[in-house]
Amino acid sequence: MSDTQALIKKFRVKPGERVKLRDEDAGQESIFPDKDIAKAATDVFAKDINKLQDRLYAENKRALLVVLQGTDTAGKDGTITSVFRETSPLGVSVTAFRQPSEEELAHDFLWRVHKALPRRGMIGILNRSHYEDVLVVKVHHLVPKDVIEQRYEQINAFEKMLTENGTVILKFMLHISKGEQKQRLQDRVDDPNKRWKFNPGDLKDREHWDEFQDAYETMLHRCSTPWAPWHVIPADKKWVRDAIVGSIVKETLEEMNPSYPEVSWKKSDFKIS
Ligand code: AMP
Ligand code: MG
């Protein structure tokens, strides 16, 4: 088993496993103890991901879907910026999901997500996702309990259908501690350049911290499948978070091993004057 495969095994949630988030150390850095080395590693992963995406695009048969979830300030935007900063804008799409619009609410909860999925050859990133419909929707009782209960299986079936149609799925929960979130929210209040990110509504969600953690645990338990696994990423240290996610994305693309297509002609068939 390579180092990266061992790393994937460490952070991947096995089907049926019950993760206790309070026992998962969000601040762990033993895997990437040196900040500079971790940042340099992320740079290399980012460059490799770009090269692999080029092959994925040329092959034009499969897509990679990266789902990012985490509480407010968990670092979803920062992870995308670091891990995909070398990926050609032509090859990647990012979709952020906020409160659903009137039109989105008039459809099933997967409708808006399905429309945002990557076409073959692309990497699609979801910044929040259909999982909000078993997280914030559950915690704030926005739909009846039995509707939530049905959704776990509906999500698994939806994701299975996607993988059977050529989309490889990776799901990352960015796990931060409550203390780290306090610090990051305070930074948003204090730093004039970050103030625009501060949303007083985030404080309301913070009051429901334990209920959110419970909802995340249920989601991880019910929806980490062999075809669309969840990973719980220690995310208090940004450089650790980026290096782990980067290495898993790169390894997954390498395992997909996309290839440049053969052409049906010989070089000598053409003379370009
Ligand atoms: P942000 O990611 O900071 O732009 O915030 C987006 C907000 O939209 C978060 O508070 C999410 O919880 C909320 N949100 C996302 N999806 C849903 C959903 N399906 N139903 C209700 N709220 C949602
Ligand atoms: Mg927010």
Side-chain angles (χ1 to χ4, degrees):
M1 195 187 282
S2 73
D3 285 355
T4 316
Q5 282 162 341
L7 183 142
I8 292 179
K9 193 157 177 265
K10 183 171 163 62
F11 296 108
R12 184 166 287 186
V13 180
K14 290 180 214 62
E17 186 181 345
R18 283 187 186 277
V19 174
K20 281 265 153 263
L21 287 171
R22 76 178 73 85
D23 298 337
E24 298 290 319
D25 179 7
Q28 65 178 279
E29 51 188 320
S30 56
I31 203 136
F32 285 106
D34 186 297
K35 188 172 177 175
D36 291 334
I37 292 175
K39 284 183 155 190
T42 303
D43 280 344
V44 175
F45 297 144
K47 290 196 170 90
D48 290 343
I49 289 167
N50 181 45
K51 287 185 204 139
L52 287 154
Q53 194 281 323
D54 192 61
R55 281 161 49 188
L56 191 71
Y57 191 80
E59 182 192 75
N60 196 26
K61 290 197 176 126
R62 293 168 294 168
L64 177 67
L65 177 67
V66 176
V67 175
L68 286 171
Q69 284 290 157
T71 57
D72 291 305
T73 76
K76 300 179 286 295
D77 296 356
T79 304
I80 296 168
T81 306
S82 301
V83 172
F84 297 98
R85 72 167 148 245
E86 297 286 344
T87 310
S88 165
L90 298 172
V92 67
S93 65
V94 184
T95 309
F97 290 96
R98 306 206 161 79
Q99 266 125 349
S101 66
E102 188 276 334
E103 189 181 21
E104 288 168 346
L105 283 174
H107 291 82
D108 70 88
F109 76 105
L110 294 169
W111 180 75
R112 66 175 184 163
V113 176
H114 206 165
K115 285 199 303 179
L117 297 183
R119 53 185 294 162
R120 297 184 211 289
M122 301 284 287
I123 298 177
I125 302 163
L126 304 186
N127 183 344
R128 302 188 189 267
S129 65
H130 44 303
Y131 284 99
E132 290 295 328
D133 292 279
V134 293
L135 293 167
V136 68
V137 172
K138 183 182 195 187
V139 170
H140 292 309
H141 309 289
L142 303 180
V143 302
K145 270 193 180 135
D146 56 331
V147 173
I148 299 280
E149 188 53 33
Q150 290 176 324
R151 285 185 173 172
Y152 301 105
E153 284 311 314
Q154 290 169 348
I155 289 172
N156 290 343
F158 172 66
E159 292 178 348
K160 187 149 204 280
M161 180 277 291
L162 296 176
T163 59
E164 287 168 354
N165 283 277
T167 298
V168 172
I169 304 175
L170 281 177
K171 302 183 295 200
F172 298 102
M173 185 224 163
L174 305 183
H175 173 45
I176 57 166
S177 61
K178 199 174 179 188
E180 181 65 20
Q181 191 194 51
K182 180 177 185 208
Q183 186 62 49
R184 293 186 187 184
L185 286 170
Q186 190 64 54
D187 282 352
R188 288 184 180 182
V189 173
D190 294 342
D191 182 343
N193 294 338
K194 290 188 184 164
R195 262 175 217 158
W196 63 274
K197 283 201 225 177
F198 181 71
N199 172 4
D202 294 351
L203 298 182
K204 190 168 150 256
D205 279 350
R206 184 170 164 79
E207 284 170 23
H208 295 278
W209 178 271
D210 289 341
E211 291 149 79
F212 270 102
Q213 298 290 296
D214 285 351
Y216 269 105
E217 286 178 359
T218 305
M219 172 199 88
L220 295 167
H221 171 58
R222 301 282 294 271
C223 296
S224 195
T225 54
W227 56 89
W230 272 108
H231 304 80
V232 177
I233 307 298
D236 276 2
K237 307 279 189 308
K238 294 173 183 173
W239 68 92
V240 174
R241 171 200 79 194
D242 293 343
I244 297 172
V245 173
S247 110
I248 296 175
V249 171
K250 182 204 145 179
E251 175 71 18
T252 302
L253 282 163
E254 265 176 359
E255 281 170 16
M256 286 170 76
N257 193 20
S259 53
Y260 290 109
E262 295 289 332
V263 290
S264 56
W265 40 268
K266 295 191 298 298
K267 209 172 140 187
S268 57
D269 291 348
F270 296 101
K271 185 165 177 355
I272 300 174
S273 52

